[in-house]
């Protein structure tokens, strides 16, 4: 009888490991709503030395236009409208690539909103707002994530999910800043001729 219990324990342990792995990469979303805790993301603020319309274009072009080759390993637009898209994102984390499916809404030159459909967490909403500054544009990010299972979800959000999520957002914002500033410099050179 003890070998049956040991075998059962091994099967359960392997099943839990597989389930957690599939959840971490976004293949399964466990959305029970049981004991859901909501956790703020951000705020993260980046100042960009480029006009707001150019910064907005830098963000939205990959979604509303043709996805650049440099982003195809990270982004796939599943369905595209004029101001709303369904997009799949892949984000490199410490141990794996996480996959999310999100609805992305665009309000020209002012706001880009993300609503989580499927991925490692059952609830996520995010927003990037753009406003003019004296020398360019300020991009402000904030959002929230929700994880289930009371204290376990709360600890997971604070210790693992939120830090990795915010680091990914910071990297993306720095990439946007770099790209927009390069485009602004090229525009200034053209206009100076």
């Amino acid at each position: 009888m003890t070998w049956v219990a040991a075998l059962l324990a091994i099967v359960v342990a392997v099943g839990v490991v597989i389930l957690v792995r599939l959840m971490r990469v976004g293949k399964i979303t466990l959305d029970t709503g049981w004991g859901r805790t909501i956790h703020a993301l951000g705020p993260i603020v980046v100042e960009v030395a480029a006009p707001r319309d150019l910064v907005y274009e830098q963000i939205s072009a990959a979604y509303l236009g043709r996805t650049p080759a440099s982003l195809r390993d990270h982004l796939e637009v599943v369905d595209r409208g004029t101001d709303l898209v369904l997009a799949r994102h892949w984000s490199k984390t410490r141990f794996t690539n996480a996959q999310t499916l999100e609805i992305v809404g665009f309000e020209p030159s002012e706001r880009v909103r993300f609503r989580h459909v499927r991925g490692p967490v059952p609830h996520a909403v995010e927003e990037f707002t753009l406003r003019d500054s004296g020398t360019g544009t300020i991009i402000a990010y904030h959002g929230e994530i929700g994880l289930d299972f009371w204290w376990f979800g709360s600890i997971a959000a604070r210790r693992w999910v939120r830090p990795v999520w915010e680091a990914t957002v910071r990297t993306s914002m720095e990439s946007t800043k770099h790209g927009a500033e390069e485009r602004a410099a090229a525009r200034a050179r053209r206009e100076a001729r």
Side-chain angles (χ1 to χ4, degrees):
M1 191 68 163
T2 59
W3 69 270
V4 173
L7 181 62
L8 182 60
I10 290 169
V11 168
V12 168
V14 168
V16 168
V17 167
I18 290 170
L19 178 65
V20 168
R21 168 93 172 129
L22 290 172
M23 287 171 56
R24 282 185 56 212
V25 299
K27 296 288 185 183
I28 293 176
T29 301
L30 192 56
D31 188 358
T32 65
W34 299 339
R36 179 161 299 165
T37 55
I38 303 296
H39 306 270
L41 295 169
I44 302 171
V45 178
V46 172
E47 187 158 356
V48 183
R52 186 171 59 163
D53 65 323
L54 200 144
V55 175
Y56 176 81
E57 187 178 298
Q58 180 75 23
I59 295 169
S60 65
Y63 295 96
L64 298 177
R66 186 172 176 191
T67 305
S70 63
L71 291 179
R72 290 191 189 132
D73 288 342
H74 307 286
L75 170 67
E76 174 194 3
V77 176
V78 177
D79 196 9
R80 181 179 285 122
T82 56
D83 62 352
L84 196 67
V85 301
L86 180 62
R88 184 172 287 115
H89 297 92
W90 291 274
S91 302
K92 182 106 174 112
T93 64
R94 190 178 329 170
F95 301 109
T96 189
N97 279 325
Q99 177 181 213
T100 60
L101 186 64
E102 298 171 287
I103 296 170
V104 187
F106 300 89
E107 297 173 30
S109 297
E110 292 181 13
R111 185 178 332 275
V112 179
R113 295 172 285 107
F114 292 78
R115 178 164 294 281
H116 196 74
V117 176
R118 190 184 84 203
V121 300
H123 168 79
V125 291
E126 304 168 275
E127 182 174 273
F128 294 85
T129 56
L130 288 74
R131 68 180 192 275
D132 294 323
S133 72
T135 58
T137 305
I138 294 174
I139 306 173
Y141 166 85
H142 71 278
E144 66 181 29
I145 55 172
L147 274 76
D148 295 345
F149 303 114
W150 300 277
W151 63 270
F152 178 75
S154 185
I155 290 170
R158 285 194 317 264
R159 302 269 172 132
W160 301 297
V161 178
R162 189 172 60 195
V164 170
W165 199 293
E166 288 179 344
T168 301
V169 169
R170 279 188 185 88
T171 300
S172 176
M173 290 176 78
E174 287 300 320
S175 177
T176 297
K177 171 185 170 74
H178 180 71
E181 287 176 347
E182 281 186 350
R183 291 178 67 192
R187 180 191 281 180
R189 284 191 300 272
R190 280 193 309 274
E191 291 172 356
R193 291 183 194 155

